[in-house]
Amino acid sequence: MGDRKLDFTKCVVGKMSPEEQDWLNVKMAAVKESARRFPIFFSQASRFIANDVPEWNTDEIQTLENIYPGFGSTDWTKRNLARTILICALDTNSDIQVLRVFFEIAEMNELVALYKGLFLLDNAADFSSQVKEGVRTNMVNVFDAICLGNPFAAAYLEDPAWNQLVLKAIFMERPLYKIQNIDQRRNKELADMLQDYIQERWAAKRTVSPEVWRLVHQYLREDVKQLILEKELEVLEKSAIETILDSNATVGEEFWNNIGKMNEINLN
C-alpha cells in the first residue's frame, strides 16, 4: 500500500469492533492476494460491518484531515470506512479494471463508498473520467460523496469538469462551503456562468443562494453590480454581497463558511 492508504487504514481500523476487525483483516488479505473476490467482499460489508458513525477525538480528526482533506466535514460510517479500506487493499495494477466494472453494478450505498475512497488510491488521477460521469447522478447521496468533503475533485478535475460540479451543487442546493478547496479553484469562467445564472434568477423573481457570491468574488461584472444596486437584498445575501463590493475587505474562508452554515440552517 502507498503511505496514504496505509495511514488511513491504520487510523480507522481501530474504530471497528473486534469481530469487525477480524472480518476486515481476513478480507483485506484476500483482496491483496487476488482482486477477483473484491466485489463480493465489498457488498458483504453491509452484513458484517455496522453502519453507525464512529466518534473521533480532535487529534484523530486532524490526522485524518492530513491524509484526506475534508474528512471531518462529512460523516463517515464504519461501513464506508471498511469499504474504503478494501478499496485501498487493491493492487494498483488491477484497481482500474476491478473498480470500473464494479461501478457499473454497484448499488447506491456502494457507490457512495466507492467515490469516497478513490482519492486514497496511488493512481487516483486515473479515475477522473469516472468521477466526471458520477457528477451526472441525480442520487443526492452519491453526488454528496463526490462533491462534499471529498478532495478528489479539487485535486484532479480540470476547470470545465470542476465548474460543472459546482453548478450542479448549486442546482441541487448542496452546501458549497463543504466543497473541498472551493476558494482555490475559483475561476473567471465559473464566475461568469454564475453571474448569468444570477441575472436569470433575479429576472424571474427567484432567489439565489448567498453562497454563490463566494465564487463571484474578485470577478464581479459591472452589469451585475448595477443589478445589485437596484435590488432589495435579504439579510444573509446582503452580508455576502456587501463584502465582495468592498474592494478593501479582507475576506477569508471562515467568513464564507459561516455564510454557508447559516444558509444551510435556513434551508433546513
Side-chain angles (χ1 to χ4, degrees):
M1 287 190 192
D3 289 343
R4 191 160 61 183
K5 295 192 292 185
L6 184 60
D7 290 345
F8 185 89
T9 299
K10 286 179 178 178
C11 286
V12 304
V13 165
K15 294 298 180 179
M16 308 291 168
S17 70
E19 294 78 14
E20 290 169 332
Q21 289 186 38
D22 288 344
W23 182 87
L24 191 53
N25 286 330
V26 169
K27 303 312 177 189
M28 284 170 54
V31 168
K32 289 176 187 177
E33 185 176 331
S34 171
R36 183 173 56 86
R37 299 192 66 191
F38 169 83
I40 297 173
F41 300 155
F42 197 89
S43 296
Q44 284 180 341
S46 62
R47 292 170 49 199
F48 295 97
I49 307 294
N51 206 37
D52 55 302
V53 177
E55 293 185 7
W56 307 93
N57 62 41
T58 303
D59 289 342
E60 289 170 333
I61 287 292
Q62 186 57 58
T63 298
L64 285 162
E65 282 283 341
N66 291 336
I67 301 168
Y68 191 105
F71 181 91
S73 66
T74 59
D75 289 335
W76 284 70
T77 66
K78 288 203 297 182
R79 192 171 298 163
N80 282 339
L81 292 168
R83 283 174 165 161
T84 298
I85 290 172
L86 290 175
I87 293 171
C88 290
L90 287 167
D91 188 276
T92 303
N93 294 321
S94 61
D95 60 5
I96 295 177
Q97 180 181 356
V98 172
L99 292 177
R100 282 185 176 167
V101 171
F102 193 55
F103 267 108
E104 298 297 321
I105 61 172
E107 51 87 24
M108 183 184 70
N109 291 320
E110 293 171 343
L111 286 171
V112 167
L114 286 169
Y115 281 116
K116 277 179 169 286
L118 291 179
F119 175 77
L120 293 165
L121 298 178
D122 296 334
N123 58 335
D126 294 337
F127 292 89
S128 294
S129 60
Q130 180 63 58
V131 172
K132 291 178 190 176
E133 180 66 27
V135 170
R136 300 178 184 179
T137 183
N138 290 319
M139 293 184 283
V140 175
N141 288 352
V142 176
F143 182 77
D144 282 357
I146 298 169
C147 182
L148 307 184
N150 188 336
F152 186 100
Y156 297 112
L157 295 188
E158 296 178 350
D159 277 354
W162 168 262
N163 292 347
Q164 287 304 311
L165 178 145
V166 174
L167 288 170
K168 180 81 175 279
I170 292 168
F171 294 144
M172 294 178 70
E173 298 186 337
R174 310 316 297 147
L176 301 188
Y177 76 95
K178 291 184 179 179
I179 299 179
Q180 194 66 24
N181 289 342
I182 191 167
D183 294 322
Q184 290 82 352
R185 291 299 305 267
R186 250 190 332 235
N187 62 84
K188 186 178 184 302
E189 182 181 2
L190 177 58
D192 280 338
M193 289 190 288
L194 290 176
Q195 288 176 92
D196 291 342
Y197 164 78
I198 289 165
Q199 289 177 315
E200 292 172 6
R201 296 281 294 186
W202 281 0
K205 311 297 183 185
R206 303 180 74 180
T207 59
V208 172
S209 168
E211 286 201 271
V212 168
W213 299 101
R214 179 176 195 160
L215 301 166
V216 174
H217 185 47
Q218 297 178 336
Y219 298 104
L220 183 64
R221 300 192 314 232
E222 284 300 319
D223 57 335
V224 175
K225 185 176 181 179
Q226 186 59 43
L227 285 177
I228 290 171
L229 298 176
E230 299 169 358
K231 186 172 176 60
E232 184 175 342
L233 302 170
E234 298 292 335
V235 174
L236 200 57
E237 186 177 45
K238 184 178 181 180
S239 177
I241 291 174
E242 285 180 345
T243 299
I244 71 169
L245 287 174
D246 184 356
S247 58
N248 295 318
T250 301
V251 188
E253 183 178 318
E254 184 178 358
F255 171 82
W256 289 115
N257 287 351
N258 285 334
I259 291 285
K261 290 172 185 177
M262 288 187 283
N263 185 58
E264 190 174 24
I265 291 171
N266 291 341
L267 289 175
N268 294 332

